[in-house]
Amino acid sequence: MAEGESPTIARRRVRIAIREAREALPLTQAQVAEEMEWSLSKVIRIENGDVSISINDLRGLLNLLGIRDKAIVEPLLADARVARTRKRAAYAWWEEPRFRENTSEPFRRFLEYEAEATELRSFNVYYVHGPLQTPEYARALTGAWLDDEFTEAQVDALVEIRGQRREAMLHRSDPLKYYFLADQSVFMRLIGGLDIFIPQLQQIVELAEAGLFQMRMLPFDIVQTIANNGSFELLTVDPSHPDREVMYRENGVADETVENLAETRRHRKRFNQLWQAAMDESDTIAFVRKRIEDLGATSPGVEVESN
């Protein structure tokens, strides 16, 4: 455990160790609850990271799970102490009432991890990645479902969250390594019309050139086969275990934060393969600039910034 380490990461290490040890035996959560004389909800909440586990509870649980090696037990106990006694260094803006009431629990958990992450990888098939969206683009995108699926308050919260994520990334003391991989359709789909889409593309170029992220595009004529994946995001949150990433994905009906090792490794492998097959950063930026120029030529009334 590193000096001054985040309680978020410490808590995550403990609960993952617990879950993996339980599954390896194997025991169900109900069986653990019965053996420990706990409620089932307590076991679920510990493994989900909703609550921290006490030192005494952890000692008993590790014994039940057959974890007795001091080289493993002591670091986990140290992590549990950090998770229970230290407070977050940064203000958790995503827990403000207007965000809590209008976003899902999996998404807020992902935002908590994002604040501590060292790397972010985003694969986008249809739309610009959230933190890169202008408010106008975000509202055009999310507001399309107003009344049917979203309330006005939800739309307002989701639009503001996109800007909050970007601002948090821009003002971090430890820069986030941010990789944005997009299908060509992301830069072709005129969300909101030209008045909204052209400034959106301009902001992408500006942020890329400012060093916020690296961007690559998968062109329509790519030869490599692309797996049938929807959009997803991967976070590296624990430098001591860089292969244990956190994934967030949504399908329009539901969303989830995924920490299953096999699942996150599979998506990271696919991301790496596609990143290598994609157009490089300079060619991608050149493509987006040309797209801006072409769209501006079709709509003289829209201001297009010169290079």
Side-chain angles (χ1 to χ4, degrees), residues 13-274:
R13 267 202 296 265
V14 171
R15 64 187 182 81
I16 287 178
I18 290 171
R19 187 189 68 218
E20 291 182 347
R22 175 182 63 76
E23 292 174 346
L25 285 176
L27 288 175
T28 66
Q29 291 176 322
Q31 288 171 321
V32 169
E34 182 178 358
E35 291 292 331
M36 295 295 296
E37 297 184 346
W38 294 346
S39 67
L40 176 58
S41 65
K42 177 175 178 176
V43 178
I44 293 173
R45 287 170 62 80
I46 288 172
E47 287 196 11
N48 284 348
D50 297 328
V51 296
S52 299
I53 186 171
S54 71
I55 303 302
N56 286 337
D57 279 351
L58 180 57
R59 288 184 188 276
L61 181 55
L62 293 177
N63 185 63
L64 171 67
L65 298 176
I67 301 177
R68 300 182 180 89
D69 185 341
K70 290 186 66 175
I72 299 175
V73 171
E74 291 304 321
L76 288 174
L77 293 176
D79 278 337
R81 292 188 183 95
V82 171
R84 290 180 63 83
T85 61
R86 293 179 60 87
K87 297 181 180 180
R88 291 192 191 96
Y91 176 59
W93 57 265
W94 54 87
E95 294 293 353
E96 292 182 15
R98 67 183 185 282
F99 298 138
R100 278 196 68 86
E101 295 166 6
N102 294 295
T103 57
S104 70
E105 189 277 331
F107 184 50
R108 293 195 304 278
R109 180 178 298 172
F110 187 78
L111 293 177
E112 180 179 1
Y113 283 138
E114 186 173 81
E116 306 288 346
T118 56
E119 298 181 3
L120 167 63
R121 289 169 174 80
S122 177
F123 174 55
N124 292 77
V125 182
Y126 303 111
Y127 312 119
V128 172
H129 187 218
L132 306 180
Q133 294 176 11
T134 65
E136 295 77 15
Y137 180 95
R139 187 166 295 278
L141 184 61
T142 310
W145 309 108
L146 188 62
D147 296 331
D148 291 331
E149 296 184 24
F150 294 138
T151 65
E152 189 69 48
Q154 287 175 313
V155 172
D156 289 343
L158 291 171
V159 170
E160 186 176 353
I161 281 173
R162 287 156 168 77
Q164 289 273 15
R165 291 178 72 185
R166 179 171 61 254
E167 288 303 306
M169 292 174 185
L170 287 169
H171 294 97
R172 285 178 55 141
S173 57
D174 52 338
L176 178 71
K177 294 181 180 178
Y178 178 5
Y179 305 91
F180 172 46
L181 176 61
D183 185 75
Q184 183 175 333
S185 62
V186 169
F187 305 112
M188 305 302 293
R189 190 168 289 109
L190 300 178
I191 301 298
L194 291 173
D195 288 353
I196 289 175
F197 192 61
I198 290 177
Q200 173 62 80
L201 295 183
Q202 290 172 331
Q203 175 164 287
I204 288 174
V205 172
E206 291 168 2
L207 291 173
E209 293 185 335
L212 175 62
F213 63 97
Q214 296 180 44
M215 173 174 62
R216 291 190 179 185
M217 184 185 78
L218 293 165
F220 289 146
D221 60 0
I222 189 171
V223 176
Q224 180 165 328
T225 301
I226 298 177
N228 186 22
N229 276 110
S231 301
F232 62 87
E233 301 174 62
L234 284 169
L235 287 174
T236 302
V237 295
D238 186 351
S240 63
H241 296 285
D243 62 326
R244 295 180 177 273
E245 295 180 296
V246 177
M247 178 170 66
Y248 177 77
R249 60 186 174 189
E250 55 184 333
N251 58 22
V253 177
D255 66 341
E256 60 179 339
T257 295
V258 180
E259 297 186 64
N260 176 275
L261 188 59
E263 189 81 356
T264 56
R265 279 179 173 173
R266 181 164 58 250
H267 281 75
R268 175 60 181 275
K269 181 179 179 181
R270 290 176 180 176
F271 185 96
N272 290 346
Q273 290 172 338
L274 293 175

